[in-house]
């Protein structure tokens, strides 16, 4: 069967992966309302296409912190990719590099920063969880710098792990043949089976619950890399992030895996963009499955989007070739959406190209 869209990879992954692994990747927190809403919210945003624009040449390129990327579609950090495919993060790194885009490596990866760097050239960001042991954190950041990573993505919504009921039922734990490679040799690379979710137990032991804005300042003292804050959903926190010197914001609800009943990220995006006032770039993470979704995010002011689950599911289905195909399909769909909307470059995508349920009708109805 020929795969014609990103969603089809999830069905293949579900058949191929052990239940514990598929459930870990696919599930959200508690009632999973936000998980469904991350997708559904996109369907409530409609297009206002402009016609008879010469779209014979379309330029999707952009820059992120001065690095040129082929399109505003990048790879979000997702943990433990070798559970999906033996090549894991190596395959994802190669696919991102081939597509001319950015890969973000998770702290909880099954390949280390050095191993990912060894796959060859590419623009890579490192996602960071702040652990109780700040020496380990400082060491990780230095290793990422040395391995040529270009930014730190600080996850700020996971001081405690959300209640993911599938993981509790499955007694989720990292398979014994795998380790969290960035922590190997620090005695925190293994994850034991627990009475509920092994990851929840691991996170409770390792992640620092006292993390606050002062730690963003501390991070700036140990690295010159730009720091993106991932997990912002409100105008209030956006303003604090700007004051704290964040280099960028990723509007994210952690793939709906943390606090259920937060809004879909596409619904929180405009509030954050307005509060940022152009002082830093705002990106979106969560629910992107179509090129139309990418266009909608950019029309609402995002500088780009990050994709997570589509990478895991395509990796499980077809390894590196699957991830390449997902990036290509999203690129092709996005280019087509631009053409059909009358946009030749990213800067031509404006708020007027879409309408949300909150927009008032632009024309008064005739009585």
């Amino acid at each position: 069967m020929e795969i014609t869209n990103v969603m089809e990879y999830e069905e293949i992954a579900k058949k191929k992966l052990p239940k514990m692994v598929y459930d870990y990747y696919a599930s959200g927190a508690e009632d999973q309302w936000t998980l469904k809403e991350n997708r559904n919210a996109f369907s409530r945003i409609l297009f206002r296409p402009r016609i008879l624009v010469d779209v014979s040449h379309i330029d999707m390129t952009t820059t992120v912190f001065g690095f040129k990327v082929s399109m505003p579609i990048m790879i979000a950090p997702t943990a433990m990719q070798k559970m999906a495919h033996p090549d894991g993060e190596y395959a994802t790194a190669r696919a991102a590099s081939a597509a001319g885009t950015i890969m973000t490596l998770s702290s909880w990866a099954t390949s280390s920063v050095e191993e990912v760097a060894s796959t060859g050239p590419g623009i890579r960001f490192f996602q960071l969880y702040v652990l109780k042991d700040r020496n380990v954190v400082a060491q990780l950041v230095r290793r990422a710098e040395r391995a040529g990573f270009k930014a730190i993505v600080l996850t700020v919504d996971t001081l405690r792990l959300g209640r993911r009921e599938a993981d509790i039922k499955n007694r989720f734990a990292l398979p014994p043949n795998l380790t969290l490679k960035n922590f190997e040799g620090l005695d925190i690379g293994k994850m034991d089976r627990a009475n509920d979710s092994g990851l929840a137990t691991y996170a409770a032991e390792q992640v620092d619950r006292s993390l606050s804005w002062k730690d963003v300042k501390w991070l700036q003292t140990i690295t010159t890399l730009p720091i993106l804050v991932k997990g912002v959903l409100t105008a209030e926190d956006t303003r604090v992030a700007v004051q704290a010197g964040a280099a960028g914001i990723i509007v994210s609800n952690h793939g709906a895996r943390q606090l259920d009943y937060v809004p879909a990220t596409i619904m929180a995006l405009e509030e954050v963009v307005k509060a940022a006032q152009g002082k830093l770039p705002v990106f979106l993470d969560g629910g992107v499955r179509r090129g139309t979704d990418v266009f909608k995010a950019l029309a609402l002011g995002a500088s780009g989007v990050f994709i997570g689950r589509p990478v895991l599911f395509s990796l499980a289905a077809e390894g590196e070739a699957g991830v390449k195909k997902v990036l290509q399909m999203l690129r092709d769909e996005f280019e087509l959406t631009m053409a059909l909307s009358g946009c030749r470059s990213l800067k031509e995508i404006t708020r007027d190209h879409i309408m949300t349920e909150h927009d008032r009708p632009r024309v008064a109805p005739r009585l």
Side-chain angles (χ1 to χ4, degrees):
M1 180 193 78
E2 188 182 354
I3 290 169
T4 53
N5 67 62
V6 165
M7 280 79 74
E8 288 172 349
Y9 274 120
E10 180 163 358
E11 276 309 301
I12 298 169
K14 189 172 186 178
K15 291 190 183 101
K16 280 188 86 161
L17 291 170
K19 185 179 189 308
M20 180 189 81
V21 173
Y22 172 78
D23 285 353
Y24 170 71
Y25 289 152
S27 62
E30 297 185 358
D31 298 333
Q32 304 192 115
W33 181 85
T34 298
L35 183 69
K36 296 187 258 305
E37 179 66 2
N38 266 357
R39 282 297 304 131
N40 293 341
F42 278 107
S43 68
R44 298 195 297 274
I45 300 170
L46 305 180
F47 290 124
R48 300 182 71 250
R50 301 300 307 274
I51 55 167
L52 295 179
V53 176
D54 176 358
V55 290
S56 52
H57 177 69
I58 288 181
D59 178 15
M60 288 180 284
T61 61
T62 186
T63 58
V64 178
F65 301 129
F67 297 100
K68 192 167 182 179
V69 289
S70 67
M71 57 182 173
I73 304 164
M74 297 159 284
I75 293 182
T78 51
M80 311 176 212
Q81 292 180 13
K82 283 189 180 176
M83 293 195 306
H85 188 277
D87 294 344
E89 293 84 0
Y90 286 79
T92 304
R94 288 192 291 259
S97 184
T101 193
I102 293 165
M103 175 206 181
T104 315
L105 182 70
S106 168
S107 271
W108 290 343
T110 38
S111 310
S112 68
V113 287
E114 293 84 3
E115 287 172 332
V116 168
S118 77
T119 61
I123 309 157
R124 301 186 184 106
F125 293 175
F126 181 67
Q127 177 272 335
L128 184 68
Y129 285 116
V130 174
L131 308 180
K132 289 171 184 169
D133 187 339
R134 288 294 197 277
N135 290 329
V136 171
V137 177
Q139 203 178 321
L140 264 182
V141 169
R142 277 196 292 274
R143 282 172 57 195
E145 279 180 334
R146 276 202 302 272
F149 284 66
K150 304 302 184 198
I152 300 294
V153 174
L154 177 67
T155 299
V156 294
D157 58 9
T158 313
L159 306 182
R160 294 176 63 172
L161 214 64
R163 186 176 173 80
R164 306 165 192 175
E165 292 177 5
D167 291 349
I168 297 168
K169 283 188 172 71
N170 293 331
R171 303 269 193 270
F172 173 80
L174 186 63
N177 61 315
L178 298 174
T179 58
L180 300 179
K181 275 283 187 173
N182 288 313
F183 302 120
E184 217 176 30
L186 296 166
D187 290 334
I188 51 172
K190 279 289 183 190
M191 188 187 302
D192 301 319
R193 289 189 84 80
N195 292 328
D196 52 8
S197 156
L199 184 63
T201 305
Y202 180 88
E205 287 168 1
Q206 303 298 340
V207 174
D208 190 348
R209 293 183 184 183
S210 76
L211 184 70
S212 69
W213 288 106
K214 69 178 189 303
D215 295 295
V216 178
K217 291 282 190 199
W218 170 75
L219 265 181
Q220 289 165 340
T221 68
I222 65 164
T223 183
T224 55
L225 294 179
I227 296 164
L228 288 98
V229 178
K230 178 175 181 280
V232 173
L233 292 169
T234 64
E236 295 89 330
D237 281 335
T238 302
R239 288 190 281 268
V240 183
V242 170
Q243 285 163 358
I249 282 173
I250 302 177
V251 175
S252 172
N253 53 34
H254 211 105
R257 294 157 74 77
Q258 285 300 102
L259 179 62
D260 202 12
Y261 298 99
V262 293
T265 48
I266 193 68
M267 288 298 151
L269 175 63
E270 196 163 27
E271 175 182 327
V272 171
V273 167
K274 283 177 174 167
Q277 298 179 320
K279 292 172 183 166
L280 42 66
V282 175
F283 302 92
L284 175 123
D285 162 291
V288 174
R289 300 291 181 276
R290 285 277 188 193
T292 49
D293 301 335
V294 181
F295 186 100
K296 289 169 184 179
L298 267 64
L300 285 165
S303 294
V305 304
F306 286 86
I307 56 166
R309 288 186 180 93
V311 170
L312 292 168
F313 295 142
S314 58
L315 182 65
E318 293 177 355
E320 183 182 336
V323 181
K324 280 180 174 165
K325 180 142 192 203
V326 154
L327 291 168
Q328 189 63 48
M329 282 191 292
L330 287 173
R331 180 189 174 86
D332 292 345
E333 288 178 11
F334 177 53
E335 184 184 33
L336 183 59
T337 307
M338 285 178 68
L340 295 177
S341 298
C343 298
R344 292 162 294 201
S345 66
L346 303 191
K347 68 175 183 295
E348 288 188 358
I349 301 173
T350 69
R351 182 64 172 79
D352 289 334
H353 284 96
I354 58 160
M355 52 186 165
T356 71
E357 52 206 335
H358 307 298
D359 296 337
R360 284 194 298 277
R362 289 159 195 267
V363 180
R366 286 205 179 93
L367 298 172

